[in-house]
């Protein structure tokens, strides 16, 4: 029972609780074993009992090792495992169990410190080799794949350790035993053989590996997957810088392709990848002729007239090589073939642009450059597009052409401006405008475009600041918004001198954007900034947005919020026809801010001010039927409860006044009036007897 309990604690990750039960089990087993030894070795039953006790002892030791590993006590774990190992002479059938058990322990040690890692990587590799041998001796025909998998895992483990050479010394004896000797006596899959060959070739056993690969090729020559053998051969020849032999193998495959020995599609795709990777390495090394050689191998597998996007990519890559080699005509042919396969590709157009540059066809090059930038915009590749337009603005000497590019850019930008909410586009966009302005005439149209772009950039910064980003990133976005707004202000000052902009909303947007940025940055100059704002006339909507922003986290400016709401309320009072719904929302927010729920100790001046708001509400409620009924109910409830709170602090006259104010709203309730009339007389009686808070409306 102690053993099972301990194992249960270990399995749920509470190894420390298992130790006590394991100690009890160990003491019990040792006592029982000592008793059995005293009774002698003559009886058969005694031998059976002793064998059972030894098995239990083996299990307890293994559990103790597992618990020690879980708690980081690796020295104790090794002692327990060593004792288990010593017992294997008497318990040979437990060999596989110990190997698997130790492997599981080893997996748990990956997070150890470096000195622990070195020790346990070595230990784990040994255990994995023991596990492979156990599988091999158990039933080679059944468990050969598992044996190889154990060897592969051991190989991965020692790759991470500092004892790489120790393992390689044993690699040939184990792997070659499994892969070659058993290969002659058992039916094994091609993939198994290829994995074995790969393992040998990857670890310096080239002669053995290539010989084995040759025997695999002979055995599987008639297999439809035979191409995999040649492919592995090519890969390792290339890895060992033996390109001449690799080319011979590729040419053999090409000949076979046209003589009825085609590769399977999956294998052919893999070959294309190898060919392209090899060509790319030569391209990076500026060996363009050699790169073309490998690209041409890939072309050999396509039929004339075939349309394929990969073939278009291939032709573009070849065109780049030809351009580096100054072979313009061949580059044109390759690009023409790419256009045939993929005519709408932006990359094909860019290849045409590069050829135009090489031929000094400036007009065509600039036109293509602009087209490429606009296509990038339309395909969600804004960074590339803006970089392309920046390049045009920096290098084009034709102001008219740059201005035309600007016009087309704006058309696209306004149609897909939502795409600008990405990464660092606001920075790049404003920089693009700055560069562009150096070439364009400073007339009214350009100034308006610059002003619009900067406002958009500021709006994007604020929106990005609202996203779930880190506080430091938010501060960066808000500061960046202020920089864009300052630049916009300078342009706006100049622009206003050129005509009548009375209907332009720029002043309002500048105010709202700057207020949001400064309030969220907790800018100490915010109050000074707002002093000039209060002096100017503003629309009700603007003031309500200011109030909302003042309390939008991380900003919290209740004084500014209240001032904006009071200004908005004053404007509502001046209207000839009041919008009751909008008025009710503004008043609701103002009362909530001035009269916090549950606060009893309120200054008389505050109560008098709030009383005025309720009187304003009664005035509007009396003059229209469109005041929301739930708002009337809320006003009645707040007034009544304010009276009750006054009653609790002994202010009976004030309590009667506020409760009476609440009753004045009762007559203006519509469908809800009858539901609340029945409670009034009862509540008045309760007030005389004690406190009764009205819970008629849950809305805060």
């Amino acid at each position: 029972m102690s053993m099972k309990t301990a194992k249960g604690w270990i399995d749920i990750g509470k190894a420390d609780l298992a130790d006590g039960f394991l100690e009890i089990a160990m003491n019990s087993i040792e006592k029982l074993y000592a008793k059995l030894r005293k009774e002698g070795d003559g009886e058969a039953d005694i031998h059976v009992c002793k064998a059972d006790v030894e098995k239990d002892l083996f299990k307890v030791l293994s559990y103790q090792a597992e618990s020690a590993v879980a708690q980081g006590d690796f020295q104790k774990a090794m002692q327990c495992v060593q004792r288990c190992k010593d017992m294997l002479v008497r318990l040979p059938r437990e060999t596989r169990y110990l190997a698997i058990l130790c492997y599981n322990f080893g997996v748990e040690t990956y997070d150890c410190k470096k000195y622990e890692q070195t020790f346990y990587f070595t230990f784990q590799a040994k255990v994995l080799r023991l596990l492979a041998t156990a599988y091999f001796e158990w039933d080679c025909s059944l468990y050969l794949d598992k044996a190889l998998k154990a060897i592969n895992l051991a190989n991965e483990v020692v790759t991470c350790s500092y004892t790489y050479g120790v393992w390689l010394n044993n690699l040939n004896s184990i792997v070659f035993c499994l892969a070659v000797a058993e290969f002659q006596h058992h039916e094994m899959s091609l993939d198994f053989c290829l994995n074995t060959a790969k393992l040998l070739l990857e670890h310096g056993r080239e002669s053995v590996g290539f010989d084995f690969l040759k025997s695999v090729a002979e055995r599987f020559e008639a297999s439809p997957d035979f191409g995999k053998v040649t492919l592995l051969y090519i890969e390792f020849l290339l890895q060992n810088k033996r390109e001449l032999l690799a080319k011979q193998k590729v040419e053999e495959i090409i000949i076979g392709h046209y003589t009825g020995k085609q590769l399977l599609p999956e294998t052919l795709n893999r070959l294309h990848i190898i060919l392209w990777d090899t060509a790319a390495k030569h391209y990076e090394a500026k060996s363009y002729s050699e790169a073309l050689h490998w690209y041409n191998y890939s072309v050999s597998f396509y039929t004339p007239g075939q349309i394929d996007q990969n073939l278009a990519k291939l032709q573009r890559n070849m065109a780049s090589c030809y351009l580096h080699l100054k072979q313009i005509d061949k580059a044109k042919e390759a690009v023409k073939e790419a256009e045939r396969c993929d005519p709408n590709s932006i990359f094909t157009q860019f290849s045409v642009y590069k050829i135009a540059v090489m031929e000094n066809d400036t007009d065509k090059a600039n036109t293509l450059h602009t087209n490429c930038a606009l296509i990038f915009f339309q395909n969600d590749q804004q960074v590339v597009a803006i970089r392309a337009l920046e390049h045009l603005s920096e290098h084009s000497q034709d102001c008219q052409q740059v201005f035309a590019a600007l016009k087309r850019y704006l058309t696209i930008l306004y149609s897909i401006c939502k795409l600008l909410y990405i990464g660092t586009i606001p920075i790049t966009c404003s920089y693009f405008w700055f560069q562009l302005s150096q070439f364009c005439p400073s007339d009214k149209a350009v100034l308006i475009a610059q002003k619009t772009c900067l406002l958009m950039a500021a709006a994007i910064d604020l929106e990005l600041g609202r996203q779930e980003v880190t506080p430091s990133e938010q501060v960066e976005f808000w500061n960046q918004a202020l920089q864009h707004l300052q630049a916009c202000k300078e342009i706006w000052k100049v622009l206003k001198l050129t005509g009548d902009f009375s209907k332009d909303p720029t002043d309002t947007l500048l105010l709202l954007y700057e207020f949001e940025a400064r309030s969220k940055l907790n800018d100490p100059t915010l109050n000074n900034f707002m002093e000039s704002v209060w002096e100017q006339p503003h629309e009700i909507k603007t003031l309500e947005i200011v109030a909302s922003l003042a309390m939008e986290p991380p900003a919290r400016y209740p004084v500014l919020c209240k001032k904006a709401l009071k200004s908005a309320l004053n404007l509502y009072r001046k209207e000839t026809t009041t919008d009751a719904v909008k008025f009710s929302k503004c008043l609701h927010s103002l009362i909530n801010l001035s009269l916090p729920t549950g606060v009893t100790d309120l200054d008389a001046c505050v109560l008098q001010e709030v009383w005025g708001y309720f009187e304003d509400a009664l005035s509007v409620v009396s003059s229209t039927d469109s005041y929301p009924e739930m708002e009337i109910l809320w006003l009645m409830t707040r007034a009544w409860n304010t009276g009750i709170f006054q009653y609790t602090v002994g202010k009976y006259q004030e309590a009667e006044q506020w409760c009476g104010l609440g009753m004045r709203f009762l007559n203006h309730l519509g469908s809800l009036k009858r539901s609340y009339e029945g409670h009034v007389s009862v509540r008045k009686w309760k007030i005389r007897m004690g406190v009764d808070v009205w819970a008629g409306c849950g809305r805060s």
Side-chain angles (χ1 to χ4, degrees):
M1 289 299 296
S2 295
M3 287 168 59
K4 290 182 179 179
T5 304
K7 182 59 175 171
W9 285 122
I10 293 171
D11 289 343
I12 64 171
K14 296 184 178 181
D16 55 323
L17 298 178
D19 288 346
F21 292 99
L22 290 172
E23 198 64 38
I24 293 170
M26 181 63 78
N27 291 335
S28 299
I29 289 170
E30 287 176 346
K31 288 178 182 177
L32 179 58
Y33 193 75
K35 186 177 180 181
L36 290 171
R37 290 186 66 180
K38 283 182 181 178
E39 292 181 6
D41 297 333
E43 299 180 17
D45 290 343
I46 297 296
H47 283 295
V48 173
C49 289
K50 287 173 68 178
D52 289 339
V53 171
E54 286 184 340
K55 287 181 182 179
D56 287 340
L57 178 60
F58 185 91
K59 286 185 179 179
V60 172
L61 288 169
S62 67
Y63 292 165
Q64 285 181 329
E66 190 172 353
S67 174
V69 169
Q71 297 178 68
D73 190 348
F74 304 110
Q75 188 61 37
K76 181 180 178 181
M78 272 305 301
Q79 291 171 357
C80 293
V81 171
Q82 186 59 48
R83 286 188 64 184
C84 287
K85 186 178 176 182
D86 294 341
M87 294 177 70
L88 291 180
V89 177
R90 300 187 300 277
L91 302 170
R93 291 187 178 182
E94 304 299 327
T95 302
R96 288 191 297 276
Y97 171 75
L98 178 61
I100 295 169
L101 178 69
C102 292
Y103 171 61
N104 289 335
F105 292 168
V107 171
E108 299 295 327
T109 67
Y110 272 114
D111 294 328
C112 302
K113 296 177 182 178
K114 284 187 177 179
Y115 68 92
E116 294 166 342
Q117 284 180 334
T118 303
F119 176 79
Y120 278 98
F121 278 139
T122 307
F123 172 66
Q124 191 178 19
K126 290 179 180 178
V127 170
L128 284 163
R129 293 200 296 275
L130 176 61
L131 180 61
T133 304
Y135 277 129
F136 182 70
E137 293 176 353
W138 190 356
D139 191 331
C140 184
S141 60
L142 263 178
Y143 300 107
L144 198 57
D145 284 339
K146 289 188 176 182
L148 182 63
K149 185 176 180 181
I151 292 171
N152 280 326
L153 286 172
N155 173 48
E156 291 173 9
V157 168
V158 295
T159 301
C160 302
S161 75
Y162 303 104
T163 56
Y164 188 67
V166 175
W167 168 229
L168 289 182
N169 289 333
N170 297 322
L171 182 66
N172 188 47
S173 59
I174 297 174
V175 178
F176 196 68
C177 174
L178 288 171
V180 180
E182 291 305 316
F183 176 76
Q184 298 170 359
H185 301 96
H186 298 279
E187 290 294 331
M188 293 179 290
S189 68
L190 174 60
D191 287 339
F192 173 83
C193 295
L194 291 177
N195 286 335
T196 304
K198 189 175 181 180
L199 188 64
L200 290 166
L201 291 167
E202 282 178 345
H203 298 287
R205 304 292 176 174
E206 288 183 23
S207 59
V208 176
F210 280 121
D211 286 343
F212 179 58
L213 200 56
K214 185 178 178 181
S215 63
V216 172
E218 291 171 356
R219 181 163 182 173
F220 291 96
E221 188 175 6
S223 170
D225 277 338
F226 176 74
K228 289 183 178 180
V229 180
T230 310
L231 218 59
L232 183 61
Y233 211 124
I234 292 169
E235 284 187 85
F236 280 98
L237 287 172
L238 290 171
Q239 286 179 17
N240 289 280
K241 310 298 182 184
R242 298 161 71 178
E243 285 201 3
L244 188 59
L245 286 175
K247 285 180 180 179
Q248 291 176 5
K249 289 292 179 183
V250 173
E251 288 164 7
E252 287 175 12
I253 292 177
I254 294 172
I255 293 169
H257 183 77
Y258 289 99
T259 57
K261 294 182 179 179
Q262 289 89 355
L263 298 178
L264 293 177
E266 182 182 348
T267 308
L268 182 57
N269 285 339
R270 178 61 192 155
L271 176 60
H272 279 300
I273 292 170
I274 294 170
L275 296 174
W276 284 36
D277 285 346
T278 307
K281 289 176 183 176
H282 284 294
Y283 186 92
E284 290 170 4
K286 299 184 179 181
S287 301
Y288 304 114
S289 296
E290 196 61 29
L292 279 168
H293 203 96
W294 288 94
Y295 281 133
N296 272 315
Y297 280 148
S298 186
V299 172
S300 301
F301 292 96
Y302 290 95
T303 58
Q306 184 176 347
I307 294 177
D308 186 280
Q309 285 197 344
N310 283 328
L311 180 57
K313 294 176 185 177
L314 185 55
Q315 294 290 354
R316 287 195 296 267
N317 291 344
M318 293 176 70
S320 295
C321 293
Y322 285 128
L323 287 174
H324 281 291
L325 294 169
K326 310 297 182 186
Q327 298 177 17
I328 307 296
D329 290 339
K330 288 186 177 181
K332 283 183 177 180
E333 290 176 14
V335 170
K336 186 177 180 180
E337 186 65 16
E339 284 184 301
R340 184 186 64 80
C341 295
D342 193 6
N344 298 321
S345 170
I346 178 62
F347 301 103
T348 302
Q349 294 298 315
F350 194 67
S351 297
V352 177
Y353 160 75
K354 288 194 288 185
I355 291 174
V357 171
M358 293 282 288
E359 293 183 325
N360 294 320
D361 190 343
T362 307
D363 291 339
K364 184 178 181 180
N366 286 336
T367 301
L368 286 165
H369 199 130
T370 304
N371 290 341
C372 288
L374 296 176
I375 294 171
F376 277 126
F377 260 117
Q378 291 168 318
N379 287 278
D380 286 8
Q381 299 184 53
Q382 290 78 26
V383 175
V384 181
I386 292 175
R387 291 297 183 195
L389 288 171
E390 286 175 356
H391 183 274
L392 179 64
S393 70
E394 290 169 354
H395 294 87
S396 177
Q397 301 302 315
D398 187 345
C399 182
Q400 189 65 33
Q401 187 180 57
V402 176
F403 193 75
L406 163 62
K407 185 176 180 181
R408 295 184 67 187
Y409 164 76
L410 280 175
T411 303
I412 298 294
L413 185 61
Y414 289 143
S415 66
I416 56 170
C417 61
K418 63 179 181 179
L419 297 178
L420 289 178
Y421 288 84
I422 298 173
T424 59
I425 291 300
I427 302 173
T428 312
C429 185
S430 60
Y431 175 74
F432 165 71
W433 278 106
F434 174 76
Q435 291 293 327
L436 203 58
S437 66
Q438 308 303 307
F439 295 93
C440 296
S442 297
D443 59 15
K444 187 175 180 179
V446 173
L447 289 173
I448 290 174
Q450 290 176 331
K451 182 260 300 182
T452 304
C453 177
L454 288 169
L455 276 175
M456 287 176 65
I460 292 165
D461 287 328
L462 294 172
E463 177 61 30
L464 291 171
R466 296 186 196 106
Q467 307 300 322
E468 294 183 2
V469 294
T470 63
S472 62
E473 288 175 326
Q474 286 182 319
V475 169
E476 184 179 347
F477 283 128
W478 294 327
N479 280 320
Q480 189 170 276
L482 288 176
Q483 293 172 13
H484 289 141
L485 292 170
Q486 186 57 42
C488 186
K489 281 182 178 180
E490 298 300 322
I491 294 172
W492 183 229
K493 287 178 185 177
V494 176
L495 195 56
K496 285 196 287 188
L497 299 174
T498 64
D500 181 15
F501 290 91
S502 56
K503 295 183 180 180
D504 192 299
T506 298
D507 281 320
T508 300
L509 292 174
L510 286 170
L511 161 63
L512 294 175
Y513 290 169
E514 186 167 356
F515 177 76
E516 180 175 357
R518 290 187 183 278
S519 63
K520 289 181 176 176
L521 285 168
N522 197 22
D523 189 339
T525 66
L526 180 62
N527 286 320
N528 293 335
F529 167 73
M530 291 304 293
E531 285 303 321
S532 61
V533 172
W534 304 132
E535 296 171 2
Q536 304 296 324
H538 296 287
E539 295 181 355
I540 293 175
K541 185 64 177 176
T542 303
L543 293 167
E544 288 177 337
I545 293 174
V546 168
S548 175
L549 291 173
M551 300 298 286
E552 185 177 282
R556 181 170 176 79
Y557 292 90
V559 175
L560 291 178
C561 177
K562 188 175 177 181
K563 193 165 186 176
L565 289 172
K566 288 172 69 174
S567 299
L569 193 64
N570 288 333
L571 292 177
Y572 276 121
R573 289 176 182 143
K574 293 176 183 178
E575 290 183 337
T576 53
T577 304
T578 305
D579 186 323
V581 175
K582 292 181 179 179
F583 175 86
S584 69
K585 290 179 180 178
C586 178
L587 193 70
H588 188 116
S589 299
L590 187 55
I591 291 174
N592 254 349
L593 201 62
S594 306
L595 191 66
T597 304
V599 178
T600 56
D601 187 17
L602 290 170
D603 186 83
C605 294
V606 173
L607 287 173
Q608 186 176 355
E609 177 188 335
V610 176
W611 183 281
Y613 301 148
F614 280 92
E615 291 285 2
D616 287 335
L618 273 172
S619 175
V620 176
V621 168
S622 302
S623 62
T624 180
D625 294 330
S626 59
Y627 206 99
E629 188 174 18
M630 291 305 296
E631 286 295 325
I632 297 174
L633 178 60
W634 181 81
L635 289 165
M636 181 181 76
T637 305
R638 288 304 301 269
W640 178 276
N641 289 344
T642 301
I644 297 302
F645 290 137
Q646 294 300 302
Y647 185 93
T648 60
V649 294
K651 295 181 180 181
Y652 305 116
Q653 184 177 353
E654 290 85 348
E656 185 177 359
Q657 290 173 347
W658 278 96
C659 289
L661 177 63
M663 292 302 96
R664 289 165 66 186
F665 285 97
L666 178 64
N667 293 327
H668 298 286
L669 288 176
S671 59
L672 296 173
K673 181 178 179 181
R674 182 169 296 179
S675 302
Y676 284 88
E677 276 182 329
H679 300 293
V680 173
S681 58
V682 176
R683 289 180 179 276
K684 284 182 178 178
W685 178 79
K686 284 185 177 181
I687 288 173
R688 294 190 183 98
M689 302 301 294
V691 178
D692 181 28
V693 176
W694 202 328
C697 183
R699 183 178 173 189
S700 63

